[in-house]
Amino acid sequence: MPEASLNDYLLFSGLLFAVGLAGVIARRNIIVIFMCLEMMLAAASLTLVAFSRFHTVDGLPDFDGQMLVFFIITVAAAEVAVGLAIIVALYRARQTINTDELDALKG
């Protein structure tokens, strides 16, 4: 089985990001939108790891991109904690998670 090239990783990452973006734009459920945002972060992480793997310095992979992925994972974990708390608070206040029915400026 041939080894995957950088183009293969970038194509998969681009498709993953496009699916996430389409989900954010098309969906109305906050939880699905939230999962699609996480999918977009995963696509960005995959791109960084792919570039890190295929960019070599003195014959070794350059680990700068992989270090940035740890920061992305940390931000994603904080985003999940705060985002889910906001979603639960919205559901308790309005009894819905449909974005069409959520209008913060309406009384």
Side-chain angles (χ1 to χ4, degrees), residues 2 11 15-16 21 25 27 32 37 40 45 47 49 55 60-61 66 70 74 76 88 90-91 95 97-98 101 103-104:
L11 178 67
L15 289 174
L16 193 63
L21 184 62
I25 292 171
R27 297 295 181 171
V32 174
L37 285 172
M40 291 168 64
S45 296
T47 300
V49 170
H55 181 257
L60 296 173
Q66 295 179 17
F70 284 116
T74 304
V88 168
L90 275 171
Y91 181 75
Q95 298 298 315
I97 54 173
N98 191 352
E101 299 171 14
D103 238 346

Side-chain angles (χ1 to χ4, degrees), residues 11-23 36-37 39-41 43-44:
L11 178 67
F12 181 70
S13 177
L15 289 174
L16 193 63
F17 191 87
V19 168
L21 184 62
C36 289
L37 285 172
M39 190 183 310
M40 291 168 64
L41 279 174

Side-chain angles (χ1 to χ4, degrees), residues 6-105:
L6 177 61
N7 289 336
D8 296 333
Y9 286 110
L10 294 180
L11 178 67
F12 181 70
S13 177
L15 289 174
L16 193 63
F17 191 87
V19 168
L21 184 62
V24 168
I25 292 171
R27 297 295 181 171
R28 297 292 172 239
N29 187 328
I30 292 179
I31 305 249
V32 174
I33 292 172
F34 199 61
M35 288 190 307
C36 289
L37 285 172
E38 293 297 323
M39 190 183 310
M40 291 168 64
L41 279 174
S45 296
L46 178 62
T47 300
L48 284 171
V49 170
F51 278 125
S52 176
R53 165 66 179 90
F54 286 96
H55 181 257
T56 58
V57 176
D58 297 327
L60 296 173
D62 184 15
F63 294 110
D64 292 341
Q66 295 179 17
M67 287 189 300
L68 284 174
V69 170
F70 284 116
F71 291 110
I72 291 174
I73 291 170
T74 304
V75 168
E79 174 195 359
V80 166
V82 172
L84 286 178
I86 291 170
I87 290 170
V88 168
L90 275 171
Y91 181 75
R92 286 183 180 175
R94 305 284 176 107
Q95 298 298 315
T96 184
I97 54 173
N98 191 352
T99 56
D100 291 337
E101 299 171 14
L102 293 174
D103 238 346
L105 296 178

